Amino acid sequence: MNSADPHPSLPLTTGGTAAAAPAGSVPASRETPRPLREFAMSFTATPRGARLARRLVSHRLHEWGHPYTSRVNETLALITGELVSNAVRHGRVPGRDFRVVLTEGIGTLRVEVTDTRAEQVPPRSAAEPPGDAESGRGLLLVSRLADGWGVTRRTGAPGKTVWARLAAGGGPAE
């Protein structure tokens, strides 16, 4: 697992914080990426909220020039589905929502899912569960499909952000 994501393909600005970064996930003193496009929304921490988040990410990717049936859209929708399912199943705090941020840089897409459960941090390695296990394959899928993924703790508020990065080809549209 990659614990730091330097956003190598995103244009950088000096100082400040990027709107795509959840509160506290990027130190204000570091250079931060400026995405070409961004979508951010909070969802109820329910299966319905998770389904809506996945569908809206897919829809937004389609609007950004990555058609529903493209490799990028299908892969990032699957990754998003796994991350939001984990937020609902393992990161749920009653009465608190989870947040999804989708950003597009030059040739790179990144999805972040932030929940308010600080003590439930995904394992550092996505090991394959036993063959008869009914769950535990979500992060294994994410690790195999994404070009990078990791976890950052929120500062100033409880919780964590799990992110995944995917190469999108040569630019905003495939």
Side-chain angles (χ1 to χ4, degrees), residues 7 9-13 18-20 32-39 60 64 66 102-110 168-173:
H7 301 290
S9 64
L10 293 176
L12 296 177
T13 59
T32 55
R34 175 178 285 162
L36 298 175
R37 297 179 183 147
E38 177 183 283
F39 166 75
R60 188 54 51 115
W64 290 353
H66 305 285
L102 174 67
T103 55
E104 182 174 35
I106 299 170
T108 302
L109 292 159
R110 176 180 163 114

Side-chain angles (χ1 to χ4, degrees), residues 93-104:
V93 173
R96 301 285 176 101
D97 295 341
F98 67 89
R99 182 170 177 82
V100 174
V101 178
L102 174 67
T103 55
E104 182 174 35

Side-chain angles (χ1 to χ4, degrees), residues 1-173:
M1 174 179 77
N2 228 349
S3 62
D5 180 26
H7 301 290
S9 64
L10 293 176
L12 296 177
T13 59
T14 305
T17 58
S25 68
V26 177
S29 62
R30 282 187 30 189
E31 290 185 336
T32 55
R34 175 178 285 162
L36 298 175
R37 297 179 183 147
E38 177 183 283
F39 166 75
M41 183 176 262
S42 294
F43 299 89
T44 58
T46 63
R48 184 177 183 184
R51 184 174 57 249
L52 181 59
R54 181 187 55 78
R55 292 184 75 176
L56 287 176
V57 163
S58 180
H59 182 69
R60 188 54 51 115
L61 288 169
H62 180 78
E63 288 180 346
W64 290 353
H66 305 285
Y68 291 115
T69 58
S70 69
R71 178 197 62 84
V72 167
N73 193 311
E74 290 179 345
T75 302
L76 205 56
L78 177 59
I79 290 170
T80 300
E82 294 301 332
L83 296 182
V84 298
S85 293
N86 283 349
V88 169
R89 185 170 184 172
H90 305 293
R92 183 176 184 276
V93 173
R96 301 285 176 101
D97 295 341
F98 67 89
R99 182 170 177 82
V100 174
V101 178
L102 174 67
T103 55
E104 182 174 35
I106 299 170
T108 302
L109 292 159
R110 176 180 163 114
V111 64
E112 301 175 354
V113 178
T114 302
D115 64 54
T116 55
R117 195 94 188 247
E119 72 278 6
Q120 292 283 338
V121 177
R124 292 216 174 263
S125 66
E128 191 163 343
D132 60 346
E134 292 183 18
S135 63
R137 291 174 183 80
L139 290 177
L140 181 63
L141 285 172
V142 170
S143 70
R144 300 246 170 107
L145 293 173
D147 294 317
W149 74 280
V151 179
T152 56
R153 291 194 179 271
R154 292 174 65 191
T155 57
K160 67 189 167 301
T161 298
V162 182
W163 57 265
R165 181 177 18 89
L166 184 66

